[in-house]
């Protein structure tokens, strides 16, 4: 019997209209867990680097993490992986809600989609019944509208649907995949649209078994309670009305302007009233005690839900207030647009107009006010009309196509991907490494376990450490106790901290745990539910595999290194690993490059950031080393420079 | 308690639909509790509580499995609550041919909430325990009735059962409460 996983993948070829239920290799679970881990293996093996992201040979993989659908609380993430036309690298995204669990109950761990349908289709999965169905009648429909229509058509309200909107259909790079009010951003909707797959509807009524029922349930219930009761888990932004942090510290417009004293009591009162006058409720994801999503019913607009910083991005890009975000977010979400990158693309276009690089002729009949302009450009982008066709390729690609100095306005991307609009003074070494080397394209997908800043007094530091269950090793407590000034910390400690932060995300994204109860949340203190000291137990109880901390750490290293192998094969090199030049005002190129070299060596990568043969072999990735050598990406000489991968946590 | 009296404990789960987040932890827990061996699997399709959800309409209604009906009712009503429209089925506890709620997916037999009967008894039903948002709350009330003869009691229970079948347990309890207050 299979435990925690179903043991089956669904293989769909949209070009041939072929559907296959394929038994998965149990060795993959042992080595890569599931979710992003196994997806990376599939992409490495089946999509050679010559394949263009828009080729039918690119794969789009929806996976339910290993723990998804078990009693483990807040394990509900669906992971979406493909190759991105924006970065030309592996694209990684996640969404919460109910889709992943339903996929497990239908009897599948993942759906692997190849090819392109001749015209718009949707996929319907009901246990063993799987159909590719016509979706031409859904053309142009909004994301929640599509979900609703599909449910009506299938006469089943319990079907879980993930869909793209007009943005995905038109291959807008910022297109998302939406499910309920959750959304997978960072460049996956564009590939779903390219494959002409409008939606996936899934319904399952099968049992998902676990290996050690009583032990698992007991541990799960204790964590469920902890998640619900304290304030150490979930998204505090769902309830904290004081949002001075983002507004005073993050940059507005095209990630350019700081407004250090923007926040005020009067404003907070006004915004709180807007929120509560229009909020229907707060909702959560499958089997989670939190309710991070605020569902807003704004007059005349489609009902929408938002989480976290998604509440601020539109009005900050437009120099407006929360009411503007409430007005536009429902519309943008129906189109299926990522609310992190899209506002930056629009603000970038308006900056080019102001700078005279684009002119009024590029924006025929555009309104004069910021509000009107954002709506105008949103429409142009999702329809790929006029200038919108260029902007739909995201900031970096648009800047290149526009030329005439537009490249200088592409100042907030790394690896061609829009970053959070953060502009600070002095370099933070750990953040330098995370933004430079992260391959999940956003700082939120790598930071999160070690606190962002030191605490001011020894007493406070001691109090923090005394309740700190999460560190995988005592050394992290020592680093924190000795840490007094942000940039005064040893390079060795910096490397270890970044590694731990990253480890948690790779584990979450393979098991399907939500970052708000795990990888992203520990940095704020208060007792995060999941950490390196209890996840191994949860995996062991659920799967019956004997997983301890060392084995889990090595699994993280294996998955992380394989993702790097996928990307170096597609050309990723040291020169690409640069945070935006203006992320910090004060930079020190020599120190940064030294730190980067140390980190590469620590990871067991060579000076170009390519994993060495020795590293790959130590992680059971000898096949990747062979492949990289065959392609002359690794040579015996270049490959031998750095040593073994970093020591596993004890 | 006076001699000759028998007290019956009425166990109820109160539902405050405004507090439901739609998390379906209740479905997870109920299906795990009834799995054999206990907790060995999760499958919401086997749960005796299901949450009727419609995100677009902001509809979240947890319903516990009641009795089986052989036919769906015709001429169903719609309700307007807080500006939202709910179908009658949203609140209905029946296993009914019009939908696949409360029907065992393998055997097709109707499922029924058993209040997590267990030996020793749980402090409260599991769906209530896992409902952190506080949408479900457990309530125990003691109903006292004067009973003379065992036969009479049996007859009375049969009678009550048929009333419950006809009108639902809540309606019967409400009426009994009114009667006991001498109204
Ligand atoms: S913590 Fe929030 S985002 Fe995470 S699973 Fe729970 S409700 Fe969803
Ligand atoms: S579910 Fe209930 S209300 Fe709906 S048709 Fe069946 S018996 Fe009638
Ligand atoms: S009381 Fe027990 S049996 Fe009834 S719905 Fe709740 S968990 Fe299920
Ligand atoms: S556990 Fe409570 S809040 Fe969650 S779906 Fe069930 S009734 Fe609603």
């Amino acid at each position: 019997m299979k435990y925690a996983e179903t043991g089956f993948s669904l293989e769909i070829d949209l070009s041939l209209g072929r559907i296959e239920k394929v038994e998965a290799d149990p060795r993959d679970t042992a080595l890569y867990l599931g979710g992003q881990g196994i997806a990376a293996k599939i992409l490495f093996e089946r999509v050679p680097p010559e394949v263009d992201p828009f080729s039918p040979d690119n794969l789009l993989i929806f996976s339910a993490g290993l723990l998804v659908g078990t009693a483990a609380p807040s394990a509900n993430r669906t992971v979406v992986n493909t190759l991105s036309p924006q970065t030309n690298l592996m694209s990684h995204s996640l969404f919460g809600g109910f889709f992943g669990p339903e996929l497990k109950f239908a009897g599948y761990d993942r759906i692997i989609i190849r090819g392109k349908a001749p015209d718009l289709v949707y996929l319907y999965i009901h246990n063993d019944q799987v159909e590719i169905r016509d979706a031409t009648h859904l053309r142009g429909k909004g994301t929640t509208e599509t979900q609703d229509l599909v449910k009506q058509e299938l006469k089943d309200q319990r079907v879980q649907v993930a869909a793209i909107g007009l943005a995905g259909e038109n291959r807008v790079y910022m297109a998302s995949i939406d499910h309920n009010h959750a959304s997978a951003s960072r460049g996956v909707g564009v590939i779903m649209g390219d494959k002409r797959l409008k939606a996936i509807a899934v319904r399952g009524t099968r049992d998902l078994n676990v290996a050690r029922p009583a032990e698992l349930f007991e541990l799960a219930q204790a964590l469920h309670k902890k998640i619900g009761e304290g304030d150490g888990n979930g998204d505090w932004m769902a309830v904290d009305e004081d949002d001075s942090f983002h507004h005073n510290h993050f940059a507005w417009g095209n990630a350019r302007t700081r407004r250090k004293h923007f926040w005020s009591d009067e404003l907070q009162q006004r915004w709180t009233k807007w929120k509560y006058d229009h909020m229907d409720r707060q909702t959560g994801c499958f089997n989670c005690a939190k309710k991070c999503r605020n569902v807003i019913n704004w007059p005349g607009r489609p009902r929408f839900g938002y989480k976290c910083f998604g509440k601020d991005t539109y009005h900050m890009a437009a120099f407006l207030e929360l009411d503007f975000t409430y007005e536009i977010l429902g519309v943008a979400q129906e189109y299926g647009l990522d609310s992190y990158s899209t506002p930056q693309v629009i603000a970038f276009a308006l900056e080019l107009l102001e700078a005279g690089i684009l002119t009024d002729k590029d924006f025929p009949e555009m309104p004069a006010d910021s509000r009107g302009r954002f709506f105008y450009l949103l429409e142009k982008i999702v329809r790929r009309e006029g200038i919108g066709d260029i902007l739909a390729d995201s900031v970096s690609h648009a800047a290149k196509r526009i030329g005439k100095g537009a490249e200088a306005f592409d100042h907030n991307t790394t690896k061609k991907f829009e970053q959070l609009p953060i502009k600070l003074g002095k370099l933070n070494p750990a953040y330098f490494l995370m933004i430079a080397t992260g391959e999940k394209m956003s700082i939120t997908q790598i930071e999160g376990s070690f606190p962002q800043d030191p605490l001011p007094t020894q007493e406070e530091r001691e109090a923090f450490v005394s309740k700190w269950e999460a560190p995988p090793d005592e050394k992290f407590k020592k680093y924190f106790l000795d840490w007094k000034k942000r940039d005064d910390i040893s390079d060795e400690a910096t490397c270890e901290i970044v590694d731990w932060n990253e480890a948690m995300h790779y584990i979450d994204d393979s098991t399907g745990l939500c970052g708000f109860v795990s990888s992203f949340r520990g940095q704020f203190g208060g007792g995060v539910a999941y950490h390196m000291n209890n996840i191994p137990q949860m995996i062991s109880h659920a799967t019956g595999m004997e997983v301890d901390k060392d084995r889990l750490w090595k699994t993280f290293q294996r998955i992380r290194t394989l993702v790097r192998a996928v990307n170096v094969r597609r050309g990723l090199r040291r020169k690409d690993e640069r945070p935006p030049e203006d992320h910090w005002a004060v930079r020190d190129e020599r120190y940064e490059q030294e730190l980067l070299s140390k980190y590469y060596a620590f990871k067991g990568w060579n000076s170009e950031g390519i994993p060495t043969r020795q590293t790959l072999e130590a992680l059971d990735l000898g096949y990747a080393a062979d492949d990289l050598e065959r392609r002359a990406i690794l040579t015996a000489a270049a490959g031998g420079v750095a040593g073994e991968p970093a020591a596993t946590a004890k | 308690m006076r001699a000759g009296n028998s007290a019956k404990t009425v166990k109820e789960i109160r539902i405050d639909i405004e507090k439901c987040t739609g998390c379906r932890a209740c479905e997870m827990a109920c299906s795990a509790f009834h799995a054999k061996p206990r907790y060995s699997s999760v499958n919401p399709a086997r749960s005796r509580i299901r949450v009727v959800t419609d995100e677009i309409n902001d509809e979240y209604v947890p319903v516990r499995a009641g009795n089986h009906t052989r036919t769906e009712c015709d001429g169903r009503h719609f309700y307007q609550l807080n500006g939202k429209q709910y179908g009658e089925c949203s609140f209905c506890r029946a296993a009914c041919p019009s939908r696949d709620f409360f029907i065992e997916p393998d055997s097709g037999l109707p499922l029924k909430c058993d209040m997590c009967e267990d030996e020793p008894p749980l402090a409260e039903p599991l769906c209530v325990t896992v409902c952190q948002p506080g949408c479900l709350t457990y309530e125990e009330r003691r109903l006292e009735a004067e009973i003379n003869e065992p036969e009479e009691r049996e007859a009375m229970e049969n009678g009550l059962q048929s009333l419950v079948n006809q009108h639902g347990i809540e309606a019967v309890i409400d009426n009994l409460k009114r009667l006991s207050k001498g109204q």
Side-chain angles (χ1 to χ4, degrees), chain A residues 158 203 207 281 287 303, chain B residues 20 23 46 50 56 100:
Chain A
R158 304 200 65 93
R203 173 86 161 91
D207 297 346
R281 81 177 62 225
N287 193 24
R303 191 183 257 115
Chain B
C20 183
C23 72
R46 293 188 199 280
R50 303 304 299 269
I56 296 180
D100 60 358

Side-chain angles (χ1 to χ4, degrees), chain A residues 98 144 148 151 157-158 180 203 205-210 213 217 221 224-225 281 284 287-288 303, chain B residues 17 20-23 27 38-44 46 50 53 55-56 58 60 100-101 130 132:
Chain A
F98 305 86
T144 58
D148 208 33
K151 286 177 185 176
Q157 194 62 31
R158 304 200 65 93
N180 291 357
R203 173 86 161 91
T205 61
R206 299 269 171 79
D207 297 346
L208 186 71
N209 300 301
V210 292
F217 205 79
Q221 283 310 293
H224 185 74
K225 199 159 176 258
R281 81 177 62 225
N287 193 24
C288 179
R303 191 183 257 115
Chain B
I17 58 170
C20 183
T21 65
C23 72
E27 296 183 10
R38 185 161 288 178
Y39 306 129
S40 61
S41 65
V42 171
N43 181 0
R46 293 188 199 280
R50 303 304 299 269
T53 44
E55 297 81 20
I56 296 180
D58 188 49
Y60 297 84
D100 60 358
F101 273 25
V130 301
Q132 293 272 348

Side-chain angles (χ1 to χ4, degrees), chain A residues 153-172:
Chain A
E153 185 169 311
L154 298 170
K155 295 193 180 54
D156 189 351
Q157 194 62 31
R158 304 200 65 93
V159 151
Q160 300 296 337
V161 189
I164 53 168
L166 193 55
E169 285 179 41
N170 288 336
R171 307 201 306 180
V172 173

Side-chain angles (χ1 to χ4, degrees), chain A residues 161-394:
Chain A
V161 189
I164 53 168
L166 193 55
E169 285 179 41
N170 288 336
R171 307 201 306 180
V172 173
Y173 287 11
M174 298 84 79
S176 55
I177 300 172
D178 292 65
H179 156 66
N180 291 357
H181 293 129
S183 165
S185 57
R186 294 189 300 281
V188 284
V190 53
I191 296 300
M192 189 151 161
D194 184 54
K195 298 198 172 299
R196 300 198 184 90
L197 181 60
K198 177 70 177 170
I200 305 177
V202 56
R203 173 86 161 91
T205 61
R206 299 269 171 79
D207 297 346
L208 186 71
N209 300 301
V210 292
R212 298 176 202 149
E215 291 96 320
L216 178 77
F217 205 79
E218 198 189 327
L219 180 59
Q221 283 310 293
L223 289 186
H224 185 74
K225 199 159 176 258
K226 180 170 182 174
I227 290 166
E229 287 174 354
D231 55 6
N233 294 279
D235 176 16
W236 68 97
M237 275 187 76
V239 281
D240 188 359
E241 307 311 331
D242 175 0
D243 197 2
S244 53
F245 175 74
H246 293 102
H247 293 88
N248 291 351
H249 296 286
F250 282 29
W252 296 60
N254 180 28
R256 207 65 95 164
T257 315
R258 290 276 298 274
R259 299 166 93 183
K260 288 185 184 168
H261 306 290
F262 177 78
W263 199 257
S264 68
D265 288 346
E266 181 248 322
L267 175 140
Q268 185 167 328
Q269 273 165 27
R270 183 165 63 242
W271 289 22
T272 308
K273 189 165 158 37
W274 279 334
K275 175 176 158 186
Y276 287 98
D277 282 355
H278 296 96
M279 188 169 78
D280 278 334
R281 81 177 62 225
Q282 293 175 315
T283 62
C285 311
F286 183 76
N287 193 24
C288 179
K290 286 297 188 217
K291 37 182 178 176
C292 302
R293 208 162 286 108
N294 294 327
V295 179
I296 303 289
N297 196 3
W298 195 255
R301 301 291 181 193
R303 191 183 257 115
F304 65 93
Y306 68 81
K307 181 157 69 63
C308 204
F309 185 52
K311 135 186 177 201
D312 300 331
T313 53
Y314 276 102
H315 67 251
M316 285 184 70
F319 292 98
L320 290 165
E321 289 199 30
L322 180 66
D323 60 330
F324 175 62
T325 293
Y326 281 179
E327 211 183 311
I328 200 168
L329 204 50
V331 180
Q333 286 186 5
E334 280 304 299
Y335 283 144
L337 282 165
D338 171 13
S339 60
Y340 279 57
S341 52
T342 310
Q344 280 190 40
V345 175
I346 296 176
F348 157 79
L350 294 174
E351 253 193 8
L352 292 184
L353 174 63
E354 214 171 285
I357 294 173
L358 291 174
T359 66
D360 289 337
K361 279 204 224 87
D362 297 304
F363 303 91
E365 289 166 60
M366 179 167 76
D369 64 310
S370 180
R371 203 173 274 263
R373 289 177 159 194
F374 264 68
F375 272 108
Y376 170 94
L377 282 170
L378 198 73
E379 297 293 332
K380 295 284 170 205
I381 288 170
V382 290
R383 299 198 153 71
R384 280 191 174 271
E385 269 171 19
I387 191 71
D389 186 36
I390 295 171
L391 296 172
D393 285 355
S394 80

Side-chain angles (χ1 to χ4, degrees), chain B residues 19-27 49 51 62 127 130-136:
Chain B
K19 287 193 178 148
C20 183
T21 65
C23 72
R24 298 169 58 201
C26 48
E27 296 183 10
I49 183 166
V51 190
C127 55
V130 301
C131 181
Q132 293 272 348
C135 168
L136 306 178

